[in-house]
Amino acid sequence: MSILVTGGAGFIGSNFVLDWLADSEETVINLDKLTYAGNLQNLESLNGDGRHVFVRGDIGDQVLVSRLLEEYRPRAVLNFAAESHVDRSILGPDEFVQTNIVGTFRLLEAVRAYWNALDGDAKTDFRLLHVSTDEVYGTLNASEPAFTEEHQYQPNSPYSASKAASDHLVRSYFHTYGLPVVTTNCSNNYGPYHFPEKLIPLIIHNALAGSALPIYGDGQQVRDWLYVSDHCAAIRAVLAGGRLGETYNIGGWNEKPNIEVVRTLCTILDELSPAETGKSYLEQITFVKDRPGHDRRYAIDAGKIERELGWKPAETFETGIRKTVEWYLANQAWVKNITSGQYLEWVEAQYS
Ligand code: NAD
Ligand code: TYD
């Protein structure tokens, strides 16, 4: 038995692959294009492990995906592959349309042909699990209830619009072709192997480098933070027991304003790795121009997945954020390796 994971060299995908193989003998075929966000160093511990087959390629390459499906005959496909950073989608939406919309469509076509040709239990048991985001629901004001699965899609960034489009395509393949799909919509993740363009790893990196800690606008935007291994556990639960054609919201019940997240990071860093200057990292906080179209608040009602599948996050924000800082402090070589070249050009374009 095997599963095909796309985007398994990225932040969440690589955590998923590592967690999966820590607990299962089932082979993972990992298809990843290795964009700037894909990093095989995340999977170094699997070198020489026959249960992990890495293939560099594009989910939009239908011929390649069909060949992999025929060759490995997976019982499930889990689609993590995406362009995932909102700020990049504002500077250049093209890749987001190509990968998130066109790529997902081509993947669906390849999977549909493969699934159609299956029979018996292999056909009944097959699953396509599409990994998506809470950002498809748009933004909430301070008093509105958290997003349930019934909330209307109202995406506000090219990133969230492209993810919304991919969710709609996945849904349509269930209703039109009967393809056995489930979709998950998760809140903001954090944890090991998070690329340092996203808020939490960027703040840790900049703090230690003695650089400014950029807070967009007033810093009062709220995100609902989930430790990445909790997301991976939720995906395993949905794969095992999720109802076909359904969507499941996944979240940490951890709503925090950005400024509070950054202050917490500074306080933990002051304790675990104090600056040589003797000053608190809090002094590096710098308010900068706001992100265009910046969503004010995301909040997930994760009641459905808890009621139906018994999933609940294991980490609180307090335990998860401390583990995360400890991981980054212990893995500075990983950070150094990726904070070079193309990444620096992007930082220049974004923050100049
Ligand atoms: P990431 O940017 O860290 O990784 C994306 C991975 O996909 C990279 O390894 C990249 O090389 C690969 N990829 C990109 N385009 C590809 C293509 N055309 N073909 C094959 N591989 C391709 O993203 P992430 O944070 O790990 O997010 C994974 C998924 O989870 C995405 O679908 C994202 O929308 C979703 N999600 C992310 C978060 C979050 O907080 N990071 C929250 C909810 C949902
Ligand atoms: P990010 O990690 O980019 O995730 P998303 O935009 O998908 O929620 O950003 C999290 C929040 O932090 C978001 O409100 C934007 C804000 N932010 C900053 O204030 N400064 C930064 O340098 C970054 C990258 C994000």
Side-chain angles (χ1 to χ4, degrees), residues 50 95 110 139 158 168 193 197 225 228 233 239 280 285-286 288 298 314 316-317 321-322 333 348:
E95 282 301 310
T139 187
H168 289 324
Y193 304 115
E197 65 184 354
W225 293 97
V228 63
L239 180 65
S280 167
I285 289 177
T286 310
V288 300
Y298 303 140
T316 63
F317 186 70
I321 200 73
R322 184 167 278 272
E348 182 72 10

Side-chain angles (χ1 to χ4, degrees), residues 6-13 31-39 57-60 79-84 99 131-134 159 163 186-189 194-195 197-198 231:
T6 73
F11 163 47
I12 303 172
L31 172 66
D32 195 296
K33 189 175 168 184
L34 295 183
T35 66
Y36 78 95
N39 186 352
D58 194 322
I59 55 166
N79 184 30
F80 293 84
E83 288 294 333
S84 70
T99 284
V131 179
S132 192
T133 165
D134 61 355
Y159 164 64
K163 289 298 290 186
C186 189
S187 61
N188 286 60
N189 284 214
H194 205 180
F195 196 89
E197 65 184 354
K198 305 277 172 71
H231 187 190

Side-chain angles (χ1 to χ4, degrees), residues 59-312:
I59 55 166
D61 183 343
Q62 207 172 314
V63 173
L64 171 65
V65 176
S66 299
R67 183 171 67 67
L68 293 175
L69 292 170
E70 281 311 313
E71 187 175 343
Y72 294 102
R73 312 204 66 73
R75 69 169 177 96
V77 173
L78 292 92
N79 184 30
F80 293 84
E83 288 294 333
S84 70
H85 190 35
V86 173
D87 292 324
R88 284 181 187 259
S89 83
I90 295 167
L91 284 184
D94 206 311
E95 282 301 310
F96 289 73
V97 172
Q98 286 312 317
T99 284
N100 300 359
I101 306 179
V102 180
T104 301
F105 163 66
R106 299 268 175 236
L107 178 73
L108 282 164
E109 280 295 89
V111 171
R112 178 163 77 95
Y114 168 70
W115 176 74
N116 268 334
L118 295 175
D119 49 29
D121 286 349
K123 186 161 195 169
T124 315
D125 296 345
F126 182 81
R127 295 286 180 276
L128 171 76
L129 190 150
H130 177 62
V131 179
S132 192
T133 165
D134 61 355
E135 303 192 24
V136 296
Y137 297 124
T139 187
L140 294 168
N141 65 36
S143 59
E144 281 176 298
F147 301 128
T148 68
E149 289 77 0
E150 274 68 50
H151 200 281
Q152 193 185 347
Y153 272 35
Q154 289 175 326
N156 292 321
S157 72
Y159 164 64
S160 55
S162 66
K163 289 298 290 186
S166 69
D167 293 7
H168 289 324
L169 281 168
V170 170
R171 176 191 160 90
S172 77
Y173 273 60
F174 171 73
H175 287 278
T176 304
Y177 304 113
L179 192 71
V181 307
V182 270
T183 295
T184 55
N185 294 93
C186 189
S187 61
N188 286 60
N189 284 214
Y190 66 101
Y193 304 115
H194 205 180
F195 196 89
E197 65 184 354
K198 305 277 172 71
L199 180 69
I200 287 178
L202 179 118
I203 294 299
I204 298 172
H205 174 64
N206 284 16
L208 295 173
S211 310
L213 309 181
I215 311 284
Y216 297 165
D218 62 4
Q220 292 303 328
Q221 301 82 7
V222 170
R223 298 294 183 263
D224 177 355
W225 293 97
L226 181 69
Y227 193 65
V228 63
S229 62
D230 278 327
H231 187 190
C232 296
I235 288 172
R236 292 196 299 276
V238 173
L239 180 65
R243 286 184 292 131
L244 296 186
E246 293 286 315
T247 64
Y248 290 88
N249 282 356
I250 304 170
W253 306 101
N254 272 320
E255 285 185 58
K256 303 275 179 208
N258 293 337
I259 187 68
E260 189 182 323
V261 171
V262 173
R263 288 202 177 113
T264 301
L265 288 168
C266 290
T267 307
I268 299 174
L269 281 168
D270 281 342
E271 177 198 330
L272 299 182
S273 184
E276 279 170 15
T277 56
K279 291 182 180 166
S280 167
Y281 293 110
L282 288 164
E283 293 187 30
Q284 289 166 233
I285 289 177
T286 310
F287 288 86
V288 300
K289 193 163 140 285
D290 207 355
R291 169 190 282 173
H294 198 174
D295 285 335
R296 196 70 184 163
R297 172 174 167 244
Y298 303 140
I300 277 279
D301 180 336
K304 177 177 172 181
I305 186 171
E306 184 176 345
R307 280 191 306 278
E308 290 192 13
L309 303 173
W311 175 87
K312 271 198 301 206

